[in-house]
Amino acid sequence: MLRALRWYLRELGGAAAYERHCARVRANHPDHPVPTRRAYELDRLRRREGRPLDRCC
């Protein structure tokens, strides 16, 4: 039960998405630095705001 709650909270908070992104960067671009969590979130926000028609609200 606690494992499921932890998974849910990490998915909801974005920690899991950031870790998946870091793993992709390390695997596909080992010469590039891994972005900080703040830089990742800012980039994600800019991409989301750049495509307003992709959202429902």
Side-chain angles (χ1 to χ4, degrees), residues 1 3 10 12 14 21 24-27 31-33 37-38 42 45-46 48-50 54 57:
M1 180 72 175
R3 182 184 289 180
R10 288 176 43 74
L12 189 64
H21 177 72
R24 278 193 305 269
V25 169
R26 286 185 191 110
D31 54 327
H32 290 123
R37 174 82 188 257
R38 180 176 171 87
L42 287 173
L45 180 64
R46 283 188 200 113
R48 190 178 328 149
E49 294 299 322
D54 289 349
C57 305

